[in-house]
Amino acid sequence: MSAADKATEPTRAVLPFECKVYQSYIRGLKAWWKDEAYRAVMADAAPLAGKGVAALEAELGKVPSYQLYGWLERHLQQFKYVGRWGLVPVIAAQSAELLPILKQGAERFPERLKLDPNFKVPDYVTDVDTHQHPGSTWSDDYDAFVHESATAGFSFTLGDSEQLVERYARPLVELSQPRDILDLGCATGKSSRALKTAAPQANVFGCDVSAPVLRLAHVRAVEEGMHIEFSQQSAEKLNFADGRFDLVASHWLYHEMPPQAIRIAIREARRVLRRGGVFAIYDMCAVPGGVVGEWLHAGYAARNNEPFAYPLVNLDFETELRAAGFGDVKLEVHAPPGDRMPASRTHYMAMVTAVAQ
Ligand SMILES: C[S@@+](CC[C@H](N)C(=O)[O-])C[C@H]1O[C@@H](n2cnc3c(N)ncnc32)[C@H](O)[C@@H]1O
C-alpha cells in the first residue's frame, strides 16, 4: 500500500450495509416508541397523575401500553449493541484494523495524552454496563469506537447530537470568555472539540476515567488539527493546580456519578477554578412534568442502566453549589411550563451554571 493510500485509510469503524440497515430499523422503531407508544402511556397515566412514582409504576406496570413502552425502551437500546449486527460484535471484529489507529495516534503529540496505568476506574463506573453497552467504554480499546458510533448522529431520543453539543459550548464561552477550559468526562472528546471550536484561542483540557475513549479523543483532535490535552483523571480528584481554569464544564457527566461523588467533584471543580470562573453542568438535572415526568425518568434510568440519573434530579444544586463556594447559581431547563409533558418523549436537559466566589 502506498503512502498516499495510507493517508486516506478510514480511521473509523466501518459499519457494513447489513449493520446500517439493522441500526436504521432500530431507529425507526425508536421513532414509533417516542411518539405513538409514549402518547398511549401518557393517556393511560393522566388519570393517575395525582399519585406518586411508586403507585404509577405499580398500577401502570399491569397496563399493556406501558409494558410495551418499557420493553421497547430497554430492548431497542440493547439491540443497538448486541446481536449479529449490533455495534459491539461488528466493531470488535475490526479490532485488528482499529487498535493500531489508537496506538499510532498516541505516538503523535504524545505530550497531549496522559494515561495513568495505575488509575483505578471508580466502582460506580465498572459496576454497570452504562447505556447497556456491554463492557461500557473502559474495558476494551475497541469500545471507544463503539461509543463513537453509538453517539454519532442521532441521540437516544433522535436529536442531532452534533448540533446539541455546539449549542451547549457557544453560550458557555460567551459567558466565561475563557483562556483555560477543563472538560470533565470528555469521553471521545466531542464536547472538548465543541469547546475548542467555540474558543479557538483557549487552552482546552479534557479528562475522563476511561483510557480507551481518551485515546480516541486524542486521535480525533489531532486529525482535526486541534491542540487539546487529554488526561485520565476523575472529576473527584484532579491533578491540576488551584485556580488553573476559568471554565470547568461537563456535558452529560453527572448522571453517571452517585450523589456523594458529585458532591466531591463540585468541590474539586471549585478548587481548580479561578475566582470569577464559571462552572457548568449540562445534564438531566431536573425533571419537569410533575410526578408523571419523574416516573418516566426513573424508569428510563433503570431501563437504560444509568442508575444515578434518577438521584441526580433530586440533588439540590443551589444548596450544593453554594456550600462549595459558588454563587450566582442558575438552572435553566428547556421544557414546557408547569406539569405539562412534551408531545414526544425527550430528555429534559438542564444547564446549571455557577460562578466561583
Ligand atoms: C456520556 S459520556 C460524556 C460524553 C462527552 N462529554 C460528550 O459530550 O461527548 C460520560 C463520560 O463520563 C466519564 N466519567 C464517569 N465518571 C467520571 C468521573 N468521575 N470523572 C471523569 N469522567 C467520568 C465516563 O467514562 C464517560 O466517558
Side-chain angles (χ1 to χ4, degrees):
M1 187 179 290
S2 72
D5 287 338
K6 269 196 157 164
T8 57
E9 269 182 66
T11 63
R12 286 168 198 276
V14 178
L15 303 186
F17 175 73
E18 293 87 340
C19 176
K20 283 188 187 149
V21 170
Y22 172 75
Q23 297 293 333
S24 308
Y25 176 65
I26 293 170
R27 267 204 298 279
L29 283 171
K30 245 178 204 182
W32 186 86
W33 162 81
K34 86 182 203 0
D35 290 327
E36 320 293 319
Y38 165 80
R39 282 200 276 274
V41 171
M42 285 302 95
D44 286 335
L48 303 172
K51 303 200 170 184
V53 168
L56 272 164
E57 184 64 23
E59 296 202 23
L60 287 165
K62 301 174 219 140
V63 173
S65 64
Y66 180 56
Q67 287 173 341
L68 178 60
Y69 171 92
W71 191 91
L72 287 171
E73 183 167 42
R74 177 146 184 90
H75 290 90
L76 292 180
Q77 179 75 350
Q78 206 171 83
F79 294 162
K80 180 168 155 177
Y81 291 105
V82 301
R84 178 154 183 218
W85 299 111
L87 294 174
V88 170
V90 165
I91 294 176
Q94 296 172 33
S95 293
E97 295 83 45
L98 295 175
L99 302 193
I101 295 168
L102 300 182
K103 191 165 176 290
Q104 286 153 20
E107 286 159 10
R108 298 182 68 196
F109 303 101
E111 70 287 359
R112 296 185 196 165
L113 177 64
K114 295 193 179 84
L115 301 178
D116 176 358
N118 298 317
F119 185 82
K120 162 92 173 71
V121 180
D123 291 345
Y124 54 80
V125 174
T126 56
D127 282 351
V128 266
D129 283 341
T130 307
H131 306 147
Q132 301 192 63
H133 171 171
S136 197
T137 59
W138 55 272
S139 44
D140 281 290
D141 273 348
Y142 68 74
D143 281 316
F145 294 94
V146 174
H147 182 78
E148 180 176 59
S149 295
T151 53
F154 290 93
S155 71
F156 188 77
T157 47
L158 307 180
D160 183 331
S161 62
E162 304 297 330
Q163 274 185 11
L164 294 174
V165 77
E166 252 184 61
R167 255 188 266 148
Y168 145 88
R170 258 182 284 121
L172 286 183
V173 165
E174 277 160 28
L175 178 69
S176 57
Q177 300 291 315
R179 263 179 304 142
D180 298 291
I181 302 176
L182 175 60
D183 180 26
L184 300 169
C186 62
T188 54
K190 194 188 277 196
S191 43
S192 320
R193 294 194 299 277
L195 287 162
K196 183 71 180 172
T197 302
Q201 307 307 326
N203 303 308
V204 178
F205 296 78
C207 81
D208 202 288
V209 292
S210 161
V213 285
L214 287 164
R215 287 195 177 95
L216 188 54
H218 176 65
V219 169
R220 297 291 175 245
V222 171
E223 276 176 347
E224 296 195 21
M226 290 185 176
H227 184 148
I228 303 176
E229 296 190 21
F230 292 102
S231 54
Q232 189 173 20
Q233 303 188 44
S234 171
E236 291 178 76
K237 192 171 187 306
L238 295 167
N239 187 19
F240 291 110
D242 295 3
R244 174 77 178 77
F245 297 99
D246 23 37
L247 173 61
V248 173
S250 64
H251 186 254
W252 290 97
L253 164 66
Y254 291 98
H255 72 284
E256 293 189 9
M257 296 173 70
Q260 193 43 34
I262 294 177
R263 279 189 193 102
I264 296 169
I266 289 175
R267 283 182 165 68
E268 192 62 347
R270 173 62 196 89
R271 182 186 69 75
V272 298
L273 271 167
R274 292 178 192 130
R275 188 184 278 257
V278 172
F279 181 44
I281 298 171
Y282 182 77
D283 216 312
M284 299 173 276
C285 302
V287 177
V291 172
V292 174
E294 191 179 335
W295 163 64
L296 281 191
H297 180 69
Y300 156 77
R303 289 186 281 267
N304 203 37
N305 288 5
E306 295 181 281
F308 309 116
Y310 186 39
L312 184 72
V313 298
N314 292 316
L315 209 70
D316 178 350
F317 279 97
E318 176 88 30
T319 305
E320 299 290 349
L321 286 163
R322 286 192 185 283
F326 289 100
D328 204 10
V329 179
K330 294 198 176 82
L331 187 148
E332 214 180 287
V333 188
H334 304 275
D339 282 356
R340 273 176 39 211
M341 292 295 286
S344 296
R345 176 70 182 139
T346 184
H347 287 305
Y348 285 120
M349 296 307 292
M351 176 69 97
V352 181
T353 53
V355 177
Q357 304 294 294

